[in-house]
Amino acid sequence: MTHPTIRPLLDGLVFPEGPRWRDGRLWFSDMHAQEVVAVTPGGEREVVARVPGNPSGLGWLADGRLLIVSMEDRRLLRQEADGSLVEHADLSALATGRCNDMIVDAAGRAYVGHFGFDLHERARFAEASLIAVAPDGKASVAASPLRFPNGTVITPDGRTLVVGETFGGRLTAFDVGDDGALSNRRVWAELGVPPDGICLDAEGCIWVAVPRPGGFLRVAEGGEVRARVDLDGWGGYACMLGGEDGRTLFLLEARTADPAEMSGRGNGRIRTMEVDAPRSGLP
C-alpha cells in the first residue's frame, strides 16, 4: 500500500544514492551526474563536490571533513576545508569491483562495500567484502565473503553493524569491537528481496530500499515487515530519516540503475513522507 502523504522534494536527478542527514540538510550522491548534493527540506540544493569517478557512500570524520566514495577508481576521497578533494585511501588492492556504499562511525572509521564483480558488464557474479578504513587511511578487510554489501547502519551504542547483502536478499549483523573489528556474524533478517540503502529508527526497525519490485520496507529484526511503500515503475535505491524531529523519511528513487538505460536527468527523484519512529544510530 502506498503511503498517502508522500511528497516530492527534488526532481531532475540522474541516480540519487548514499543519503545522509546533517546540519539541517539531506546530503546525497547523484552518482551518474558525478555530484555530491545537499538539499534543504524546502528543496534548495547545493552541489558541494564534483567527483569524476562517480560518488556513492558519504560520511564524516570526527573533525567534520567529508568522506566520499569514488566508485570507478576505487578510492575514498576526503574534502578539505577549502573544498578540494584529496585521496584518503586507495582501495583498489582490496576491492574487486566498483566501490559503493559506506558508513562512517563516530570515531571516523569507514566501512566501504564494493560490487565484487563488473555488474554493469554482466560479468559472472563474485562475492565481495566490507573494507574498514581507519581515520588515518589504512585499509583492511573487515568482513568477507558478502553477496554485494550495500547499505549499512550502526546501532546507537556503536556495538552492532548491519549491512544489506543485495544478492543475498538479507540483512546481516556483526558485533563491533573496540578496535572496529567485526565478529559474530548472523542473519538479522531474511528479506526475500534485494536490499539496497537502509536506515535505522528508534524502535530498532530498519527501513530498506528495494530496487525490484520497487519500494521501501520497514523491517523488524527477524524479518517481520511492519510497513511498506510500493512504487509503480520506479525502484527504491536508498532512504534516510532526518528532518527537524528525525521523522521525515527521504525516499531516493530511480527508474533504472543500469547506466546504459538511463535517460539522464529525470531518471531519479527524491520524495518524502512522515513516519512515527524517528531516526536512530548511524548514518
Side-chain angles (χ1 to χ4, degrees), residues 14-69:
V14 182
F15 190 76
E17 263 281 18
R20 308 288 183 256
W21 179 260
R22 185 177 175 91
D23 296 335
R25 298 191 293 177
L26 182 77
W27 300 60
F28 67 94
S29 292
D30 195 351
M31 183 182 291
H32 296 285
Q34 302 180 338
E35 297 174 344
V36 177
V37 179
V39 59
T40 68
E44 298 177 17
R45 57 170 282 170
E46 176 193 2
V47 176
V48 296
R50 299 185 188 277
V51 182
N54 290 358
S56 184
L58 305 174
W60 285 266
L61 292 169
D63 63 10
R65 286 179 293 176
L66 174 66
L67 296 180
I68 307 168
V69 171

Side-chain angles (χ1 to χ4, degrees), residues 6-279:
I6 295 178
R7 299 182 175 91
L9 175 64
L10 204 56
D11 290 312
L13 303 174
V14 182
F15 190 76
E17 263 281 18
R20 308 288 183 256
W21 179 260
R22 185 177 175 91
D23 296 335
R25 298 191 293 177
L26 182 77
W27 300 60
F28 67 94
S29 292
D30 195 351
M31 183 182 291
H32 296 285
Q34 302 180 338
E35 297 174 344
V36 177
V37 179
V39 59
T40 68
E44 298 177 17
R45 57 170 282 170
E46 176 193 2
V47 176
V48 296
R50 299 185 188 277
V51 182
N54 290 358
S56 184
L58 305 174
W60 285 266
L61 292 169
D63 63 10
R65 286 179 293 176
L66 174 66
L67 296 180
I68 307 168
V69 171
S70 181
M71 299 181 69
E72 302 296 329
D73 52 6
R74 293 177 288 172
R75 293 192 300 158
L76 185 55
L77 304 179
R78 185 180 69 243
Q79 188 174 50
E80 302 291 62
D82 63 359
S84 63
L85 295 179
V86 300
E87 181 177 284
H88 185 68
D90 182 351
L91 307 181
S92 60
L94 299 175
T96 54
R98 290 176 177 87
C99 289
N100 192 25
D101 213 340
M102 170 181 68
I103 193 166
V104 181
D105 69 13
R109 183 184 296 109
Y111 297 89
V112 184
H114 60 96
F115 287 13
F117 68 108
D118 197 334
L119 174 68
H120 299 321
E121 295 300 322
R122 309 295 196 272
R124 183 178 179 180
F125 172 81
E127 292 178 318
S129 62
L130 199 61
I131 300 169
V133 182
D136 64 2
K138 293 180 180 177
S140 60
V141 172
S144 179
L146 292 165
R147 296 181 66 84
F148 205 98
N150 213 322
T152 310
V153 298
I154 296 175
T155 53
D157 62 5
R159 291 299 185 179
T160 303
L161 178 148
V162 182
V163 59
E165 292 188 72
T166 301
F167 282 75
R170 61 180 172 251
L171 302 179
T172 299
F174 296 89
D175 292 343
V176 183
D178 292 339
D179 60 354
L182 303 182
S183 63
N184 189 25
R185 177 177 179 157
R186 57 202 180 272
V187 174
W188 196 89
E190 291 283 2
L191 301 175
V193 294
D196 200 312
I198 62 177
C199 63
L200 181 67
D201 72 25
E203 294 180 359
C205 290
I206 292 177
W207 280 97
V208 180
V210 181
R212 295 289 180 268
F216 300 86
L217 303 176
R218 182 173 181 254
V219 181
E221 185 172 5
E224 179 189 357
V225 175
R226 301 277 180 86
R228 66 184 305 133
V229 177
D230 295 321
L231 301 177
D232 183 11
W234 293 75
Y237 288 95
C239 52
M240 185 67 213
L241 285 162
E244 186 176 348
D245 60 1
R247 290 181 168 85
T248 299
L249 182 65
F250 295 89
L251 309 172
L252 278 66
E253 305 166 0
R255 295 187 184 276
T256 180
D258 187 339
E261 298 176 0
M262 288 181 185
S263 56
R265 295 190 183 274
N267 182 68
R269 68 186 183 189
I270 300 177
R271 301 190 297 165
T272 67
M273 72 180 208
E274 300 304 310
V275 297
D276 293 332
R279 171 190 175 196

